[in-house]
Amino acid sequence: MDFQLILAAATGDHGAVNPWAAIAYLVSGVFFILALRGLSSPASSQRGNRFGMIGMTIAVVTTLLTHVPRVDGGALDGVALIEILAAIGVGAVIGIVMARRIAMTAMPQLVAAFHSLVGLAAVAVAAAAYLNPQAFGIADAAGQIYTVSRIEMGLGIAIGAITFSGSVIAFLKLNGNMSGAPIMLPARHVINLGTLAAIIGLVAYFTFDQSPWVFWTVTALSFAIGFLLIIPIGGADMPVVVSMLNSYSGWAAAAMGFTLGNSAMIITGALVGSSGAILSYIMCRAMNRSFISVIAGGFGGDDAAAGAGGAKEQRPWKPGSAEDAAFLMTQAENVIIVPGYGMAVAQAQHALREMADLLKAEGVNVKYAIHPVAGRMPGHMNVLLAEANVPYDEVFELEDINGEFAQCDVAFVIGANDVTNPAAKTDKSSPIYGMPVLDVEKAKTVLFVKRSMGGVGYAGVDNDVFYMDQTMMLLGDAKKMADDIVKAIGGSGH
């Protein structure tokens, strides 16, 4: 079929979108839904990614056919098409390079950085639409922006700016450029509520008065509230923040889809926004947090808790070696492995799987226990274990395996501090109080792999498990420790 016939099928007279474009966007939306379904499980995540790529390809091609400017004769404007394709090419190269170079340990901050770019893009689109509304078809001949477009624009720039600045703070916390401890500002709740009320009021006023001061004040206040909402949130709650910012970025994209008149952006943004909100709600329930307080920000603990829970004075603890660990685990019937961010930092997942394979060859029953917020983003540990080809039927979530620790011979904790800390159940002054944790202290023996006794977890809280009678501390790099245990098992004659 001739390319011009394809254009004619996708567009009507004067570039008006006909049902074929709507059908294409609908098909891309179906692929996005299938992608979300696939990404809900590590076993189907690759298929989900493929569906997402197919859906995005359909959406991009359809948008190019229907939105690129045209010259006389109905042909696409070659200069505009080249500029758009060049921009897509630059973005693709940057994305490919970053995806290949970024380690899995840095994936949470990469996700936060990408969220910030989505928010910034929404702000840029809203600003462009405000400065030249006729080009977007959202204003009358006198240059007055339509009321409904003002609402869409106000919401889009507010959500986009909040997403951008909030994601920047999340990135800095995750990347170690800013303390992971909650930073409590005086009267922060009054400041936050006042700023949010001012934003909502100005967005409402913007529907009556499109003066520049209203638009840019909303923008500035939205950037500010993004910082204010995320700064008080502690490191232990950062996975929920990443999920919530993901939701914000979706709603920002949806709002800009209305401004651009692009149904694919509306569909995609709504899917991302709603799925992110649902995931955040599920994670809040798993962490015993309030969903409303997540939206309002500053749920990382109150002022008293923020200063509590630091490293405690040194107490007696029992050191161990790789040989000790190998002997105890080969003599056990049931071993539960608890991976955490320390495993991710050391890239120890492959050595860990090799260790588990050797134990299974000795007749040991091996399972993996995953906390909902282990690592720095939802599903972080699941992705790492899948990368190491750990069988999916050996990996269990907290609610499915927590009751088994009491009958477990050995709990092997590798770099997971906050999610195994019993202070979350007993110490009301702790920043992690109320968060469900894995009950490793109930196991007959706890082998705890940790780089040193000097540091504490990301939430800044010491762990009483380190000092229990049944705990043996295995100090050192997680990967080297796992490799040494593998050698000890192999060299023990078992």
Side-chain angles (χ1 to χ4, degrees):
M1 180 182 291
D2 186 80
F3 185 64
Q4 294 299 324
L5 293 179
I6 298 177
L7 294 180
T11 62
D13 295 335
H14 310 294
V17 179
N18 77 2
W20 288 108
I23 291 174
Y25 284 143
L26 178 62
V27 171
S28 68
V30 171
F31 275 107
F32 292 144
I33 293 172
L34 293 174
L36 288 174
R37 181 181 180 182
L39 292 173
S40 64
S41 168
S44 57
S45 59
Q46 289 187 336
R47 183 171 67 251
N49 271 319
R50 295 190 189 100
F51 283 142
M53 292 166 65
I54 294 171
M56 186 55 67
T57 300
I58 295 173
V60 169
V61 171
T62 303
T63 300
L64 288 175
L65 295 178
T66 56
H67 287 73
V68 173
R70 298 178 180 277
V71 296
D72 294 339
L76 294 177
D77 185 337
V79 175
L81 183 61
I82 290 174
E83 291 175 345
I84 293 172
L85 292 178
I88 293 175
V90 170
V93 170
I94 294 174
I96 291 171
V97 171
M98 292 183 70
R100 292 178 65 89
R101 291 185 177 180
I102 293 295
M104 280 304 302
T105 51
M107 196 58 63
Q109 47 263 53
L110 178 64
V111 171
F114 282 166
H115 288 165
S116 73
L117 295 178
V118 174
L120 189 60
V123 173
V125 170
Y130 175 75
L131 295 173
N132 190 7
Q134 285 91 348
F136 288 79
I138 59 174
D140 56 25
Q144 291 296 308
I145 302 174
Y146 301 131
T147 301
V148 66
S149 295
R150 295 188 199 184
I151 297 173
E152 297 161 1
M153 189 182 301
L155 292 175
I157 199 162
I159 299 173
I162 291 171
T163 302
F164 171 75
S165 54
S167 297
V168 169
I169 295 298
F171 172 84
L172 293 176
K173 282 177 172 279
L174 290 167
N175 205 46
N177 304 110
M178 179 181 288
S179 172
I183 302 174
M184 301 301 179
L185 301 177
R188 70 186 186 281
H189 294 304
V190 175
I191 296 173
N192 290 350
L193 290 174
T195 306
L196 287 172
I199 292 172
I200 295 172
L202 286 172
V203 170
Y205 182 70
F206 186 59
T207 61
F208 301 99
D209 182 359
Q210 67 177 58
S211 299
W213 75 266
V214 181
F215 180 84
W216 297 115
T217 301
V218 170
T219 305
L221 289 176
S222 299
F223 278 127
I225 195 62
F227 289 114
L228 295 173
L229 288 175
I230 306 303
I231 281 177
I233 299 176
D237 295 321
M238 199 51 62
V240 182
V241 173
V242 174
S243 176
M244 200 70 238
L245 290 171
N246 176 59
S247 178
Y248 290 168
S249 69
W251 296 124
M256 287 302 96
F258 283 104
T259 299
L260 296 173
N262 189 303
S263 57
M265 283 187 67
I266 298 171
I267 293 172
T268 307
L271 286 172
V272 173
S274 57
S275 61
I278 292 171
L279 177 59
S280 299
Y281 176 72
I282 293 173
M283 293 182 66
C284 285
R285 291 191 60 185
M287 296 175 65
N288 196 28
R289 301 301 194 200
S290 166
F291 182 70
I292 299 301
S293 64
V294 176
I295 298 175
F299 65 101
D302 56 24
D303 295 326
K312 301 177 182 178
E313 63 180 75
Q314 189 70 4
R315 291 180 282 169
W317 52 277
K318 185 188 302 180
S321 65
E323 290 74 18
D324 296 329
F327 175 79
L328 289 169
M329 286 193 287
T330 53
Q331 300 302 310
E333 293 184 8
N334 298 291
V335 172
I336 298 179
I337 298 173
V338 181
Y341 189 64
M343 181 196 76
V345 171
Q347 291 288 287
Q349 61 269 25
H350 296 282
L352 187 67
R353 191 220 66 218
E354 186 178 358
M355 181 191 82
D357 288 344
L358 289 175
L359 291 175
K360 288 187 289 184
E362 295 296 319
V364 180
N365 180 32
V366 178
K367 294 182 179 180
Y368 296 81
I370 306 296
H371 192 280
V373 295
R376 294 294 181 267
M377 70 177 186
H380 198 181
M381 295 300 105
N382 300 81
V383 172
L384 290 173
L385 294 179
E387 179 189 350
N389 296 317
V390 172
Y392 300 124
D393 59 358
E394 295 179 6
V395 181
F396 297 86
E397 300 297 327
L398 178 146
E399 63 271 13
D400 298 321
I401 200 170
N402 224 17
E404 298 187 25
F405 281 103
Q407 292 78 42
C408 171
D409 296 304
V410 176
F412 184 83
V413 185
I414 179 165
N417 185 12
D418 297 330
V419 298
T420 62
N421 195 334
K425 297 178 285 187
T426 59
D427 186 359
K428 292 185 178 181
S429 69
S430 173
I432 62 173
Y433 178 72
M435 182 180 78
V437 293
L438 291 162
D439 297 332
V440 298
E441 76 277 6
K442 295 181 179 179
K444 296 176 183 177
T445 299
V446 180
L447 300 175
F448 213 115
V449 180
K450 194 173 184 290
R451 184 171 292 275
S452 71
M453 294 299 294
V456 292
Y458 195 63
V461 185
D462 202 12
N463 193 337
D464 287 336
V465 173
F466 301 159
Y467 314 105
M468 292 182 175
D469 292 338
Q470 75 269 36
T471 300
M472 182 179 291
M473 300 300 299
L474 307 174
L475 301 184
D477 178 78
K479 184 178 185 303
K480 185 178 185 305
M481 181 61 66
D483 285 334
D484 289 345
I485 293 173
V486 168
K487 294 176 182 177
I489 295 175
S492 64
H494 288 284

